[in-house]
Amino acid sequence: MSFIRGITEDAKKQAMVRSIVEFANSCGMSTCLEGVETEELQNYLRIYKATWFQGYYYSRPIEIRKFREMVQAFGGKRNQKKFSCG
């Protein structure tokens, strides 16, 4: 089930996402809302105060080699451990 698809028009999905994110935040946990496909949706989802967003709006799936290249480009070796994927 996707909680994000159609969330702007679905009060039940809005309540579910709000509850999950608020619970996680109150427990000191991080959250990631997946399925962000447009800037408009990203801007709407900011009201839920999730830690991160993920989806095609940011990047289509990529090979690990390309991912490592991106990490190097945005932070070099100092961030390498944070993004280790096998």
Side-chain angles (χ1 to χ4, degrees):
M1 175 180 197
S2 172
F3 297 121
I4 301 304
R5 185 174 291 135
I7 192 171
T8 58
E9 298 87 27
D10 190 328
K12 289 181 182 178
K13 288 182 178 184
Q14 293 168 11
M16 180 69 73
V17 170
R18 183 178 302 107
S19 296
I20 292 169
V21 173
E22 285 178 0
F23 174 75
N25 289 342
S26 71
C27 293
M29 299 169 66
S30 300
T31 53
C32 181
L33 296 181
E34 299 179 355
V36 179
E37 296 185 0
T38 65
E39 182 177 11
E40 179 182 44
L41 182 57
Q42 171 199 256
N43 293 338
Y44 172 80
L45 292 173
R46 289 191 188 281
I47 65 173
Y48 295 102
K49 301 187 190 303
T51 311
W52 299 290
F53 300 100
Q54 179 182 345
Y56 284 170
Y57 174 66
Y58 306 102
S59 176
R60 298 279 182 182
I62 58 174
E63 296 177 6
I64 189 68
R65 177 185 54 78
K66 287 248 187 214
F67 179 74
R68 287 186 176 134
E69 290 172 6
M70 287 175 59
V71 170
Q72 288 296 319
F74 287 102
K77 293 191 180 265
R78 69 187 166 123
N79 290 327
Q80 199 167 23
K81 289 187 179 184
K82 293 180 185 176
F83 296 103
S84 179
C85 296

